[in-house]
Amino acid sequence: MLIVSVAEEAVPAHVATAPKERRDGRGRLVLALGEVTGHAHAVVGPGDLVREPGPYGPLLLHLPQGGRVVHEEHAAITLPNGWYRVIRQREYVPGSVRIVAD
C-alpha cells in the first residue's frame, strides 16, 4: 500500500461529486481488506474516500482533520490533514496484472 500526499489543486474536479466509499461496521474507511486474514488497512477519523474508475484505479482520500491508518499487525500511521492518493501494490502475472493479496 502506497499513500502519497496530493496538492489540493491537483485533485480532479469530478471528485467533489463522485460517490464516496462507505465506512465498514466499525466506522472505518477501508483502504484494503485482507482476503485471507480479514485484517484491514483502514483510516479512522473524519474524511472521505473516493475510488477512481478502472479495475486498478487508485483511491483518493480526503482527511480534513488528519487521521490514522490502522492495521491489526502493525502500529498506526498518523497522516496530517489533506488529500492523498492510495495505491494498492500490483504484481505481474504472465499475461496480466493483479492486486497483491494480504
Side-chain angles (χ1 to χ4, degrees):
M1 170 116 357
L2 176 63
I3 302 173
V4 180
S5 180
V6 175
E8 188 159 355
E9 58 271 7
V11 175
H14 74 273
V15 170
T17 58
K20 310 296 188 261
E21 293 289 306
R22 295 175 60 155
R23 291 179 179 267
D24 70 0
R26 294 166 52 184
R28 307 173 306 169
L29 293 169
V30 176
L31 304 178
L33 182 62
E35 293 85 359
V36 176
T37 63
H39 295 161
H41 283 92
V43 174
V44 294
D48 292 310
L49 186 61
V50 176
R51 186 173 305 276
E52 289 283 78
Y56 307 112
L59 300 166
L60 288 170
L61 174 65
H62 182 226
L63 299 175
Q65 300 172 13
R68 291 182 311 125
V69 178
V70 297
H71 188 276
E72 291 83 352
E73 296 177 338
H74 60 72
I77 300 167
T78 301
L79 297 174
N81 67 316
W83 283 91
Y84 297 89
R85 185 171 305 279
V86 180
I87 304 167
R88 298 269 318 261
Q89 184 177 1
R90 296 173 292 234
E91 65 183 350
Y92 174 75
V93 176
S96 69
V97 174
R98 70 179 183 155
I99 297 290
V100 174
D102 184 12

